[in-house]
Amino acid sequence: MSSSDQFETRLDDDLALLTETLEEVLKSSGDPADQKYIELKLKAEQALEDVKNRVSQASDSYYYRAKKVAYQADDYVHEKPWQGIGIGAAAGLFVGLLLARR
């Protein structure tokens, strides 16, 4: 299982937990003096904060990976410009053929 699949699974689990907790909060009496309500509200707030942090970390991770790939591609094109031109031309031809089929 790739790390992105693991992340998606964890994110799905986190969102399910958050949804479940928020549903419990909504079903509770809503009385601010009720101890269960206070506990559920704190649990929901913490779950929401945890999900936000994980999504933010994953977003940063994907950004840095994409940036690394872009730098590698840039280095490759600088080292082998003619091969870079050939790859670009082939990609352009492929996209052109796909668009022409529509």
Side-chain angles (χ1 to χ4, degrees), residues 69-87:
V69 168
Y71 282 131
Q72 288 173 343
D74 185 55
D75 289 343
Y76 180 82
V77 170
H78 279 83
E79 290 172 11
K80 301 175 182 178
W82 287 109
Q83 288 178 342
I85 290 170
I87 291 170

Side-chain angles (χ1 to χ4, degrees), residues 46-64:
Q46 184 60 48
L48 180 59
E49 191 62 33
D50 290 346
V51 170
K52 284 181 182 180
N53 288 336
R54 285 193 184 122
V55 168
S56 176
Q57 289 171 355
S59 164
D60 291 345
S61 173
Y62 287 124
Y63 170 76
Y64 289 117

Side-chain angles (χ1 to χ4, degrees), residues 1-91:
M1 183 180 273
S2 73
S3 64
S4 65
D5 290 338
Q6 290 173 348
F7 169 74
E8 288 177 17
T9 301
R10 274 194 350 228
L11 184 59
D12 288 342
D13 293 343
D14 291 341
L15 291 174
L17 174 65
L18 180 60
T19 302
E20 198 175 290
T21 304
L22 291 175
E23 285 175 355
E24 285 181 53
V25 169
L26 293 173
K27 289 178 185 175
S28 70
S29 68
D31 181 7
D34 182 9
Q35 186 61 31
K36 182 176 180 179
Y37 175 77
I38 293 169
E39 290 172 8
L40 288 173
K41 184 178 179 198
L42 291 173
K43 185 178 174 183
E45 289 171 350
Q46 184 60 48
L48 180 59
E49 191 62 33
D50 290 346
V51 170
K52 284 181 182 180
N53 288 336
R54 285 193 184 122
V55 168
S56 176
Q57 289 171 355
S59 164
D60 291 345
S61 173
Y62 287 124
Y63 170 76
Y64 289 117
R65 284 188 207 167
K67 195 172 186 179
K68 183 179 176 183
V69 168
Y71 282 131
Q72 288 173 343
D74 185 55
D75 289 343
Y76 180 82
V77 170
H78 279 83
E79 290 172 11
K80 301 175 182 178
W82 287 109
Q83 288 178 342
I85 290 170
I87 291 170

